Amino acid sequence: MAESVLNTPDLKDLEEEELWDLINDNRHAISLGVRPCVLIPYLRQARVLTDLDEDEILTCLNFTNRGMKTSHMIDLLHVQGHNGAMALLESLMIHYPVLYTRITGRQPSIEPSGFSGLINYTELTEYLVRAVSSMQTELHVARHEAARLQARCCELQGKLEQAQQNNKELSQMQGEHARLHSHLDGLNRELLKLKDEKCDLYVRYTTALEEKSATIVRNRDLQLEISQLQHELKKAQKETDFERWRSLKNPSDTQKLKAELNAVRAKLLETETLFPVQQDILAHDLKEVENRSSELAEEVSRLSEENIRLQQEKEEFLEEKDCLALEVEKLTVDCEMYQHRSTLFHNQLEEVQAERDKAYLSRDEAQAQIARSLAEKDVLRGQLMELQARVFAMKACSKQRERRDKSMDRKFSCDISGLCSEFPPSSPPSRRQLCRSNAILPESFNSFDACEFNDEAICSISSNQVEPPCSESLRRRDFPSRSDMEDIYTSQDSLNFDHDYVLISTGDSFDESKSPASLPCSTSRRSPNDSVSRSSAPPFLMRSRPQALRITGRVLTVFFQGEMILNEIQVIGGNKTGVFVHDVTEGSSAHNTGVSPGSQILQLKYEREQRAVRMVLEDTTMEEALWALGQVQGPCHITLRPSQDAYENLLQQLKNGEVMSGDSFYIRVNMTMQEDVAGTLAVKCNDIVHVTDTHHSIDGSWWASHVHPCHLEDLKSGTLPNYYRAQRLLIRALEDMTYPRKAQRKEKTLSHEKQRTARIVITGQQSRNPLWVSVEDNNTTAQDSDGCVPSRCVTLMPYTLVSPRFPPICRPVLLLPTLLGRVLHKRLAEQDGFQICEPELLMASEHAIQMQKGEILEECDSKTHLCYTLQGVEKIMKRGTHCVLPLSLDCVRRLHRAEIFPIIIYIMSSERSLRKLRHKLRQNVLTESQVLECSCSEEPLLDKLPCLYQSIPPESWHDSATLIDTLKTVVTEEQQKIVWVESDTW
């Protein structure tokens, strides 16, 4: 192609169209590789451009880059025709010889014959001399700059080698850290294995102890049975001896009678052998004797009757003597048995004391071992924290070093680009990319500094490096590149490091439900030298960037000065309807901000003692909302939701008298309060009360009503002390119970009925009020002016929140105390509508699955997996039958988790009442003392149940049959009642 061009005639001989065809064919290369400011001086001397053309090319704002200006210059030269084309080609031959050769295919020449004659010879020579001298100057500057950059490159090469060496050391340290971390993991795994083995040993040990205790109890029962059998045997022997003695007494009497009979017979034989005279004499004597004998017979009969009577009395006395002797012997045997039993009890007590001492020693050893393990754990945790801090510092140093290297590389690239800008570029420059600007954070207003918080600072919008356009403004203006903008925003983000991350300890967990505004924000700023990029954040730093101020849907967050906010706005409502703005004072800061009646208050944020406090008022009571608004003493953010329909509905209900406020919740009273004055509601312990107004009076009283046991209907209404007043009354009642006064002691002695005065309920929630849910900052030490709100909440709860449940089918029945329930379970299950729950034998896999799901209520035998399950209870309930539970109190919470609410019946026991069931207790190998001990141990546990229970006094039954009838009546009544369940206080 070059040869074909060389064979063409001279450029001066070419036509205008041919010249412009050559230029237009390479127009793109000219536009990209030519700077108009270099060619314009020659074109001015060639008189193809004027001053106005130069100003238009260089200063017109429509031409945003060099290509557009060059293209416009070519268009202006095209208007000049042949001269414009020749002047353009000659200027390219002087300043851009490579581009000239590319367009024309000829080598550039500075001979006068090679020019078109648009400039005379003298002017052309002067121009060429100036051009050559400027080029030599630029070449000298470029060589000097190249030498400087070469030295700079050597210096950077040395630093790069040093950085690589540091990187190798860092990699070695990271490898060492990984090795230590793996070693630590191995030690942790070994520790976990040892802990598991220790737990297994503990389980085995406890199982052995339980088996030992069960064996001891069984041995004691067998010893008692043996002693009873021995006692009965001795009694039987005594009775046998007595009967044998009586049987031996009768034969001696018969022998005496036989001897007398034989003597009488011998005398009769002697009389038969006498003579007649003697017979007459004897007959006469006989008559006399008969006369006397009749008299004697009468006397003998009288004496015999008296003898018989005396004999009977003697026999009675002898029998009584024998019975008394037998009773004495029985009492002697009983005394020996009780002495033997007391010796056994003393021996067992000594064994128990020895086991207790051993348990104390083992407990002390276990505590010492736990303390040692905790100390070792603390040491390991400290070492881990030191290693993490070192790794984090090394990462931060490496990131800073990389950032410095990047900045040096950018400077180096900028210097090279500045050097290359003097020469024709071979590629077009990169276009400036768009960058995202930072949003205005509401947390930036938390410092409330006058110099920072003003309308001008918020509403101002400024650009970077604004310069007015001038003749050479495009050459002097350096737009930051994308990397520079990223460095700018990185430095800004590093300055706001406290807003982006929150430092938490490794042992704590981060609650994602809490808003970042509730966390304490630091108002101090870090210097750029101490800033750390987000990519180098350690693993124990968690992201909590707050959101920018915005309006989402119909929820609006406004900011205003909230000094005495209750003087600016009035609120109505409660936890059921929400808290609404009712009235706004005109001219106040709330009115100027745009707060209007009918808006529901959702959230409140403010600063107190350099801590951010966040209160959620969406479902709070009126008392809580007024307290929260009264705590604001300065600037605050309040979140509102316009809800005019709900607000008007509440106003209409208040006007019609349907409700007293927007509050509505149910509580369980844990103490007895009498009716002091007119209008006060008298309540007893375990009563369910419906609270409908928490701000009824200024002295801190609620308006509440009793609730129908079977329906959600309000009965008698009256005032009730609020939570804190009731708390003080509960403390006073406990003090009176602990240290009673003399008058109270007399009243107690005169009272016949036992009435419950208080129920001890504690909570583990360390909040201002366990019934409140709004405050999320527990460190606030504010206190109400009238003393109604203490600085911190004690654990005693006079009221507990409850919710109603309506079980649709027959509820299970749980009888207490447990030992007495064993006696009555079978009798109650024999009645119509009752069935006892039987244990199920599960496979090992089924047992593990149900144990994981929490469906096992109680285990009968852990070895054979014989246990009571939820499925067995549900099967009986689906038949419309009450399931009798032979279980303990531990099953109640498991049943509640499955939405099964048992009927809990506590049978109050006494020694007199248990005598009526002595036969039943003996059949189950139980004693009265065991039942009383079980009753005393389980009665305090009833107060910890999350539901109500029914008690049966001992005076309401006199035998087992009437007790079963009473149980059936109580179950029928409880089945119709509402089940009130407390929320978890821990």
Side-chain angles (χ1 to χ4, degrees):
M1 179 179 178
E3 293 178 357
S4 63
V5 174
L6 291 173
N7 294 329
T8 57
D10 193 6
L11 292 176
K12 294 183 289 184
D13 299 335
L14 294 177
E15 297 294 334
E16 178 183 354
E17 295 180 358
E18 295 177 354
L19 292 173
W20 282 108
D21 289 339
L22 291 175
I23 294 171
N24 290 331
D25 291 341
N26 297 277
R27 186 184 183 97
H28 181 67
I30 295 171
S31 300
L32 295 178
V34 174
R35 290 188 296 170
C37 59
V38 176
L39 302 182
I40 284 176
Y42 181 81
L43 298 175
R44 287 284 308 278
Q45 288 191 0
R47 296 179 180 82
V48 293
L49 289 178
T50 61
D51 296 340
L52 296 176
D53 295 336
E54 181 182 1
D55 294 338
E56 184 179 358
I57 292 170
L58 296 178
T59 62
C60 184
L61 297 177
N62 293 329
F63 307 138
T64 58
N65 52 36
R66 187 175 60 187
M68 297 176 66
K69 295 179 180 181
T70 306
S71 179
H72 183 64
M73 182 184 68
I74 295 173
D75 294 337
L76 293 177
L77 293 175
H78 194 278
V79 177
Q80 300 295 329
H82 186 273
N83 292 337
M86 288 302 298
L88 178 60
L89 292 174
E90 289 173 358
S91 62
L92 292 176
M93 181 177 63
I94 296 172
H95 297 282
Y96 300 97
V98 178
L99 185 58
Y100 175 79
T101 304
R102 179 180 174 183
I103 295 172
T104 61
R106 294 178 174 83
Q107 294 296 329
S109 175
I110 59 174
E111 296 181 358
S113 60
F115 290 90
S116 61
L118 295 175
I119 305 176
N120 55 23
Y121 181 75
T122 304
E123 294 177 354
L124 180 59
T125 303
E126 293 176 357
Y127 182 78
L128 291 176
V129 169
R130 288 196 302 271
V132 169
S133 62
S134 63
M135 288 180 181
Q136 289 178 353
T137 304
E138 292 177 358
L139 179 61
H140 178 71
V141 172
R143 288 176 179 175
H144 180 70
E145 187 68 21
R148 187 182 65 80
L149 292 177
Q150 186 68 25
R152 181 64 177 168
C153 286
C154 294
E155 182 182 356
L156 292 177
Q157 188 69 24
K159 292 183 179 181
L160 180 61
E161 293 176 357
Q162 184 66 26
Q164 290 177 354
Q165 184 67 23
N166 294 336
N167 192 14
K168 290 181 181 179
E169 294 177 358
L170 180 61
S171 62
Q172 292 176 359
M173 294 184 71
Q174 287 179 351
E176 183 68 16
H177 177 264
R179 187 183 65 79
L180 291 175
H181 195 273
S182 61
H183 182 63
L184 181 62
D185 292 339
L187 293 178
N188 286 330
R189 287 194 292 270
E190 293 179 359
L191 180 61
L192 291 176
K193 290 181 181 178
L194 292 176
K195 286 183 178 180
D196 293 338
E197 293 177 359
K198 185 177 178 181
C199 291
D200 295 337
L201 291 175
Y202 279 154
V203 170
R204 294 176 185 174
Y205 180 67
T206 53
T207 305
L209 289 178
E210 291 176 357
E211 292 176 355
K212 181 180 177 181
S213 62
T215 306
I216 291 172
V217 172
R218 183 60 179 168
N219 188 13
R220 292 171 184 171
D221 296 338
L222 292 175
Q223 288 179 356
L224 289 175
E225 291 179 1
I226 290 171
S227 61
Q228 289 177 359
L229 291 175
Q230 290 176 355
H231 178 63
E232 293 176 358
L233 179 61
K234 289 182 180 180
K235 286 183 178 180
Q237 288 178 355
K238 294 294 181 181
E239 292 176 357
T240 304
D241 295 339
F242 178 72
E243 292 296 333
R244 185 180 298 171
W245 178 76
R246 294 183 65 181
S247 63
L248 292 175
K249 183 179 178 182
N250 296 325
S252 60
D253 296 337
T254 56
Q255 289 177 359
K256 291 179 180 180
L257 293 175
K258 287 180 179 180
E260 292 178 357
L261 181 61
N262 293 328
V264 171
R265 287 178 180 176
K267 289 180 179 181
L268 183 61
L269 290 174
E270 290 178 357
T271 57
E272 288 178 357
T273 57
L274 294 175
F275 295 105
V277 178
Q278 293 177 348
Q279 290 180 353
D280 294 335
I281 294 170
L282 290 174
H284 184 268
D285 293 336
L286 181 62
K287 288 180 181 179
E288 292 179 357
V289 169
E290 285 178 356
N291 294 327
R292 271 188 286 170
S293 65
S294 61
E295 295 176 358
L296 292 174
E298 291 178 358
E299 183 69 21
V300 168
S301 63
R302 185 180 63 78
L303 292 175
S304 63
E305 289 177 358
E306 186 177 356
N307 189 18
I308 290 170
R309 184 177 59 77
L310 293 174
Q311 286 292 336
Q312 290 177 354
E313 290 179 358
K314 180 181 178 181
E315 289 177 358
E316 289 177 359
F317 287 139
L318 288 175
E319 289 179 359
E320 186 176 357
K321 176 185 174 182
D322 295 335
C323 292
L324 291 175
L326 183 62
E327 289 292 332
V328 169
E329 291 178 356
K330 287 182 180 180
L331 291 174
T332 305
V333 173
D334 291 338
C335 182
E336 293 175 356
M337 182 188 68
Y338 285 124
Q339 287 179 355
H340 179 65
R341 188 178 297 177
S342 64
T343 55
L344 290 177
F345 283 159
H346 284 298
N347 295 331
Q348 292 173 1
L349 182 60
E350 292 177 356
E351 293 177 359
V352 170
Q353 288 177 353
E355 291 179 357
R356 182 197 63 185
D357 297 336
K358 291 181 181 179
Y360 283 160
L361 291 176
S362 61
R363 183 196 66 182
D364 296 337
E365 293 176 358
Q367 288 179 353
Q369 187 176 1
I370 290 170
R372 288 194 298 271
S373 62
L374 289 176
E376 294 175 358
K377 184 177 179 182
D378 293 336
V379 172
L380 293 176
R381 183 176 294 173
Q383 294 176 359
L384 180 61
M385 292 297 293
E386 290 177 0
L387 290 175
Q388 286 183 349
R390 289 176 59 187
V391 170
F392 177 62
M394 294 174 67
K395 285 184 178 181
C397 294
S398 63
K399 291 297 181 180
Q400 291 180 359
R401 190 177 294 110
E402 289 178 1
R403 191 179 298 109
R404 287 197 299 268
D405 294 341
K406 287 181 181 180
S407 62
M408 291 178 183
D409 293 340
R410 283 195 295 273
K411 290 180 180 178
F412 180 70
S413 61
C414 292
D415 295 338
I416 294 177
S417 63
L419 178 62
C420 296
S421 62
E422 300 296 331
F423 298 96
S426 59
S427 62
S430 61
R431 180 177 296 178
R432 174 192 169 195
Q433 300 183 6
L434 297 175
C435 298
R436 185 181 64 182
S437 61
N438 289 342
I440 299 175
L441 301 177
E443 277 70 4
S444 61
F445 306 147
N446 287 344
S447 61
F448 306 112
D449 193 352
C451 62
E452 294 180 359
F453 184 76
N454 49 24
D455 297 336
E456 183 180 359
I458 297 175
C459 302
S460 63
I461 300 176
S462 60
S463 61
N464 292 330
Q465 300 179 358
V466 179
E467 296 181 5
C470 61
S471 59
E472 293 184 352
S473 62
L474 296 177
R475 292 182 63 184
R476 294 190 293 105
R477 184 182 301 178
D478 294 329
F479 288 98
S481 62
R482 180 181 178 86
S483 61
D484 294 335
M485 295 300 294
E486 290 177 354
D487 291 339
I488 292 172
Y489 288 118
T490 302
S491 63
Q492 293 178 358
D493 291 337
S494 64
L495 289 175
N496 295 332
F497 183 75
D498 291 337
H499 294 284
D500 293 340
Y501 297 95
V502 174
L503 182 63
I504 64 174
S505 60
T506 55
D508 297 336
S509 60
F510 184 75
D511 191 0
E512 297 179 357
S513 63
K514 291 184 178 181
S515 175
S518 63
L519 299 172
C521 299
S522 176
T523 58
S524 61
R525 297 287 183 176
R526 294 188 178 184
S527 61
N529 296 329
D530 296 336
S531 63
V532 181
S533 61
R534 296 187 184 92
S535 61
S536 63
F540 51 84
L541 288 177
M542 300 187 67
R543 187 67 176 268
S544 61
R545 175 182 287 276
Q547 298 177 351
L549 184 63
R550 65 186 187 275
I551 298 174
T552 304
R554 295 179 59 83
V555 177
L556 175 65
T557 300
V558 297
F559 171 82
F560 64 92
Q561 192 73 19
E563 295 288 347
M564 301 298 291
I565 192 173
L566 290 177
N567 294 334
E568 300 181 4
I569 62 174
Q570 295 180 5
V571 295
I572 60 173
N575 66 311
K576 183 179 180 180
T577 59
V579 180
F580 296 93
V581 178
H582 181 58
D583 189 16
V584 183
T585 304
E586 294 186 1
S588 61
S589 57
H591 182 267
N592 297 332
T593 308
V595 179
S596 60
S599 300
Q600 182 182 358
I601 303 176
L602 302 181
Q603 185 174 277
L604 188 66
K605 293 181 183 179
Y606 62 93
E607 258 195 7
R608 188 175 186 86
E609 297 180 359
Q610 296 182 355
R611 285 192 299 268
V613 182
R614 174 174 175 264
M615 297 185 180
V616 180
L617 306 181
E618 188 171 1
D619 53 355
T620 58
T621 61
M622 189 63 182
E623 181 185 31
E624 181 182 0
L626 292 174
W627 178 87
L629 294 172
Q631 297 300 308
V632 179
Q633 296 180 359
C636 65
H637 293 80
I638 184 169
T639 303
L640 303 173
R641 178 196 291 149
S643 183
Q644 196 67 26
D645 295 338
Y647 171 67
E648 292 178 356
N649 188 18
L650 176 60
L651 288 179
Q652 188 66 27
Q653 291 179 355
L654 292 173
K655 183 178 179 181
N656 297 336
E658 299 177 4
V659 296
M660 299 189 66
S661 69
D663 293 322
S664 177
F665 58 93
Y666 296 91
I667 59 174
R668 178 181 177 182
V669 184
N670 299 326
M671 58 184 297
T672 299
M673 290 181 285
Q674 303 296 333
E675 185 176 357
D676 297 336
V677 296
T680 306
L681 185 65
V683 293
K684 298 179 181 179
C685 186
N686 292 328
D687 281 354
I688 303 299
V689 176
H690 183 203
V691 180
T692 55
D693 188 5
T694 58
H695 192 64
H696 182 69
S697 62
I698 304 176
D699 59 348
S701 298
W702 292 350
W703 185 261
S705 306
H706 284 289
V707 182
H708 193 278
C710 301
H711 308 286
L712 286 178
E713 297 178 0
D714 294 344
L715 302 177
K716 184 180 179 181
S717 302
T719 59
L720 196 69
N722 65 356
Y723 185 86
Y724 296 107
R725 289 182 56 199
Q727 198 174 61
R728 289 194 290 269
L729 293 175
L730 177 58
I731 295 173
R732 189 181 305 165
L734 294 177
E735 291 176 353
D736 294 339
M737 292 170 61
T738 308
Y739 307 104
R741 294 185 292 271
K742 295 183 178 180
Q744 293 179 349
R745 291 177 184 174
K746 292 180 180 179
E747 291 176 0
K748 288 184 178 180
T749 55
L750 294 175
S751 62
H752 299 283
E753 297 182 358
K754 182 180 177 182
Q755 184 177 2
R756 188 156 195 145
T757 58
R759 169 175 173 257
I760 306 301
V761 180
I762 61 175
T763 176
Q765 299 174 358
Q766 298 298 327
S767 59
R768 187 177 306 279
N769 186 337
L771 302 183
W772 290 4
V773 297
S774 66
V775 184
E776 293 190 4
D777 184 15
N778 296 334
N779 297 325
T780 308
T781 59
Q783 185 174 359
D784 199 358
S785 60
D786 57 354
C788 294
V789 182
S791 59
R792 63 185 300 273
C793 179
V794 297
T795 55
L796 290 175
M797 297 182 66
Y799 308 132
T800 50
L801 288 174
V802 292
S803 57
R805 304 295 173 87
F806 304 92
I809 54 180
C810 293
R811 298 163 58 189
V813 180
L814 181 63
L815 301 181
L816 297 175
T818 308
L819 295 181
L820 188 57
R822 295 178 186 174
V823 179
L824 302 174
H825 285 157
K826 294 182 180 179
R827 289 288 306 276
L828 184 61
E830 293 173 357
Q831 307 297 321
D832 293 337
F834 295 88
Q835 183 178 351
I836 194 170
C837 181
E838 299 293 340
E840 300 180 9
L841 186 61
L842 302 178
M843 302 295 292
S845 58
E846 296 178 354
H847 180 268
I849 294 173
Q850 293 193 11
M851 180 65 74
Q852 185 177 6
K853 293 181 179 179
E855 296 178 354
I856 293 180
L857 299 177
E858 190 173 310
E859 289 185 349
C860 298
D861 190 358
S862 59
K863 297 181 180 179
T864 58
H865 302 305
L866 184 66
C867 52
Y868 296 94
T869 61
L870 281 174
Q871 289 80 3
V873 178
E874 291 175 351
K875 288 179 183 178
I876 298 175
M877 293 171 61
K878 290 179 181 178
R879 300 172 189 165
T881 306
H882 293 284
C883 179
V884 181
L885 300 174
L887 306 176
S888 60
L889 277 174
D890 296 335
C891 69
V892 176
R893 295 187 183 274
R894 300 189 183 99
L895 290 171
H896 280 195
R897 282 195 290 269
E899 294 297 323
I900 298 176
F901 306 99
I903 299 173
I904 303 173
I905 302 175
Y906 176 70
I907 303 173
M908 302 175 69
S909 305
S910 63
E911 294 182 359
R912 182 178 179 182
S913 62
L914 291 177
R915 290 173 190 166
K916 306 171 185 177
L917 301 175
R918 183 178 297 175
H919 181 66
K920 296 291 183 182
L921 293 177
R922 288 182 179 178
Q923 289 180 355
N924 290 270
V925 195
L926 294 174
T927 61
E928 301 173 6
S929 60
Q930 291 177 348
V931 177
L932 289 175
E933 184 178 358
C934 179
S935 177
C936 294
S937 62
E938 290 183 354
E939 185 177 5
L941 301 178
L942 294 172
D943 288 339
K944 299 180 181 180
L945 294 176
C947 59
L948 300 176
Y949 63 93
Q950 185 66 30
S951 300
I952 297 179
E955 298 83 8
S956 61
W957 55 276
H958 56 275
D959 56 1
S960 60
T962 56
L963 180 57
I964 294 297
D965 295 338
T966 305
L967 289 175
K968 291 172 62 178
T969 304
V970 171
V971 169
T972 304
E973 293 175 354
E974 291 294 322
Q975 181 64 37
Q976 299 175 358
K977 293 182 180 179
I978 302 174
V979 181
W980 297 96
V981 182
E982 292 180 352
S983 59
D984 192 4
T985 58
W986 292 90

